[in-house]
Amino acid sequence: MTVGLYVGDGLRRYAFGDGHPFGPDRLDAFWTEAQKQGLDQRVTLLEPVSTDRAAIERFHTKDYVDLVIERSGAGTGFLDYGDTPAFAGVYEAAACVVGTVLDACDRVISGELRHAFVPIAGLHHAQRNSASGFCALNDCGIAIETLRAKHGMERVAYVDIDAHHGDGVYYGFEDDPALIFVDLHEDGRFLYPGTGHAHETGRGEAKGTKLNIPMPPESGDAHFMQEWERAEAYLDAARPEFILFHCGADSLAGDPITHLRYSAAAHGHAAERLCALAERHCQGRLVAMGGGGYNRANLAAAWTRVLDRMAENANQATA
Ligand SMILES: [Zn+2]
């Protein structure tokens, strides 16, 4: 049993140009560090793959997909009110992020892989009918819908430690009791998108099925580890059949656009615990998505730590 890692131009193309916080050099920074640590020798390398419109429309509305395709062809303007520029080919690039996450889910379910990691993925701000915060298509939401529709998974868990609240996933499933949702993020009073308050636990029938943990600005590893225990107890009780892990690295100290102060140890801790949790509940089925992270050294450190913990666990699970 092994861990799949997706790298290649297909993922690199989802970026907003050189010099942008979400630039193409993010993937390069991670990949250089992964090779330096010899992680490329401990995982199975896989090529990114695209997907079709039918899969995308499991989460997004038809009208919104039409709009992304149209602006992607034009290559100008914005997909939202100003955060997410429509570069030429943005639809194809985002569809490749989505397809790669879906491929990772397929290979984990088939047993070919124990876990998988997709560094450029986790576009968690896109809503069902709109773009937001650098996110054109919500690969996380599409993966959740696909795990249900294609693989019959009922209890999918989505765990997010990016500094920003995963609002596209939260509001996309706010009234859906089957989605197990845990999100530790910087308190919305201090950071975009301003949501994810502790009282947001789901709506209607889904009330109590979502756990939002807002962290005060400047929170470090100690506070993260303490709150993690609550997140883990909640996940254990929910007995997931599949775990999607959004390991955004913008929650590390030194990120240019957020105010949390974790180190890569927080990401390593979460990854190690989620691997163990996945072994307890669902034969190790865990797919991680890189998410945010705009300080290149930070994202390289956090994402390689996650990948290292996954490779170590898969090795032990096999032994
Ligand atoms: Zn973020």
Side-chain angles (χ1 to χ4, degrees):
M1 291 299 262
T2 180
V3 174
L5 169 65
Y6 292 81
V7 284
D9 278 344
L11 291 177
R12 203 172 176 279
R13 272 195 281 275
Y14 191 84
F16 296 89
D18 293 327
H20 190 280
F22 205 122
D25 58 321
R26 296 173 77 242
L27 181 61
D28 305 334
F30 159 72
W31 180 229
T32 302
E33 179 62 24
Q35 288 172 292
K36 202 170 116 191
Q37 294 181 20
L39 276 163
D40 55 320
Q41 306 297 319
R42 297 168 57 202
V43 300
T44 299
L45 296 176
L46 295 156
E47 282 291 321
V49 288
S50 193
T51 191
D52 58 15
R53 194 172 165 156
I56 291 165
E57 286 185 10
R58 287 191 188 117
F59 179 80
H60 290 292
T61 62
K62 181 181 177 303
D63 286 354
Y64 175 63
V65 177
D66 281 342
L67 176 117
V68 180
I69 291 172
E70 181 208 309
R71 301 261 163 99
S72 178
T76 55
F78 286 90
L79 295 173
D80 54 13
Y81 296 104
D83 275 340
T84 319
F87 59 89
V90 62
Y91 175 76
E92 288 74 15
C96 187
V97 171
V98 173
T100 304
V101 171
L102 298 184
D103 190 68
C105 292
D106 283 349
R107 289 180 197 258
V108 165
I109 287 173
S110 77
E112 180 188 337
L113 302 173
R114 193 80 179 168
H115 320 300
F117 183 69
V118 186
I120 305 300
L123 306 175
H124 60 172
H125 296 305
Q127 308 279 339
R128 288 186 184 266
N129 60 359
S130 68
S132 187
F134 312 155
C135 301
L137 298 175
N138 195 322
D139 52 307
C140 320
I142 297 164
I144 292 161
E145 296 287 11
T146 301
L147 286 164
R148 294 168 168 188
K150 185 173 169 187
H151 299 290
M153 298 269 157
E154 282 168 14
R155 294 187 314 278
V156 177
Y158 173 82
V159 184
D160 187 331
I161 63 169
D162 188 277
H164 301 94
H165 181 230
D167 57 338
V169 179
Y170 179 78
Y171 294 109
F173 296 90
E174 190 183 20
D175 54 7
D176 183 330
L179 181 71
I180 305 157
F181 178 96
V182 176
D183 195 321
L184 296 99
H185 52 270
E186 183 173 337
D187 190 319
R189 288 173 297 175
F190 306 98
L191 187 70
Y192 171 90
T195 54
H197 305 290
H199 63 80
E200 294 187 280
T201 62
R203 223 174 36 174
E205 231 190 301
K207 203 149 190 58
T209 63
K210 318 282 181 257
L211 181 61
N212 278 302
I213 305 183
M215 307 286 286
E218 311 296 324
S219 295
D221 288 351
H223 193 178
F224 177 84
M225 308 290 185
Q226 188 190 332
E227 293 289 21
W228 178 262
E229 294 303 318
R230 209 148 65 86
E232 188 171 320
Y234 172 85
L235 287 164
D236 251 331
R239 296 176 296 109
E241 293 172 278
F242 197 101
I243 302 173
L244 291 166
F245 176 32
H246 186 297
C247 57
D250 49 14
S251 41
L252 266 62
D255 188 89
I257 66 175
T258 76
H259 321 97
L260 293 179
R261 300 194 53 79
Y262 309 161
S263 77
H267 288 60
H269 182 75
E272 193 173 319
R273 294 295 196 90
L274 285 178
C275 284
L277 204 115
E279 297 298 339
R280 285 201 291 282
H281 294 286
C282 48
Q283 298 95 54
R285 293 194 286 252
L286 171 68
V287 169
M289 300 159 292
Y294 306 103
N295 173 316
R296 275 48 176 168
N298 278 356
L299 70 83
W303 293 351
T304 52
R305 192 73 67 95
V306 168
L307 191 59
D308 173 77
R309 296 292 86 202
M310 289 173 120
E312 180 64 26
N313 182 74
N315 194 31
Q316 284 175 3
T318 312

